[in-house]
Amino acid sequence: KVAKVYDEAFGHHPNFEIPTRVKNSTHVFHQYTLKCKGINRDDLRFFLAEKQIPSMVYYPIPLHAQKAYQSNKFPLGSLPVTENLCTKVISLPMSPEVTDDQLTFIINNINEFCKQNSVAK
């Protein structure tokens, strides 16, 4: 239910790309991750934190850029999609316990941030 509400709120939003799903399948969300477009993801995280809305970036550093996995086979710049996504994705609160009022508060604040900070594309 929470993912459906997020889908409806952000599915056609110019500043976000929602998670893609296969039409003939179902999905059990343990996280709901948006791809930011035309806004600064880190500024959005700070804004949400000020409103006491939790958000997460689960993979802030690409695996190939982490010391334990660094290799000459995959220098920085060799996986540009991965490197870009690590700066663009944000995960929103996702739990069966998220209430309708909480969802409205989260969505309204994200929309407010976008109105104030969106870069015209």
Side-chain angles (χ1 to χ4, degrees):
K1 173 191 168 239
V2 174
K4 183 179 179 185
V5 173
Y6 285 145
D7 284 350
E8 291 169 0
F10 303 120
H12 298 288
H13 196 290
N15 294 117
F16 300 106
E17 185 176 316
I18 64 170
T20 304
R21 274 131 25 228
V22 178
K23 291 185 191 280
N24 64 345
S25 182
T26 59
H27 194 295
V28 178
F29 284 88
H30 70 284
Q31 62 189 45
Y32 188 92
T33 303
L34 292 171
K35 179 180 174 185
C36 297
K37 303 184 296 184
I39 58 170
N40 183 292
R41 184 270 318 268
D42 294 329
D43 290 347
L44 174 58
R45 284 199 73 214
F46 182 77
F47 179 86
L48 294 175
E50 286 184 326
K51 305 290 184 180
Q52 298 185 348
I53 299 171
S55 66
M56 287 294 298
V57 175
Y58 289 99
Y59 306 102
I61 301 170
L63 194 60
H64 68 289
Q66 296 180 30
K67 186 175 181 180
Y69 297 99
Q70 288 177 349
S71 163
N72 291 336
K73 290 171 127 180
F74 300 103
L76 280 179
S78 65
L79 299 173
V81 173
T82 298
E83 293 169 25
N84 184 322
L85 286 172
C86 285
T87 68
K88 304 282 188 226
V89 296
I90 185 170
S91 295
L92 302 180
M94 173 54 66
S95 165
E97 288 81 28
V98 177
T99 68
D100 291 341
D101 287 344
Q102 290 170 327
L103 282 169
T104 299
F105 183 72
I106 292 164
I107 291 164
N108 287 346
N109 276 285
I110 291 172
N111 285 330
E112 182 61 31
F113 174 86
C114 291
K115 284 180 194 173
Q116 296 174 8
N117 296 279
S118 183
V119 176
K121 291 215 155 209

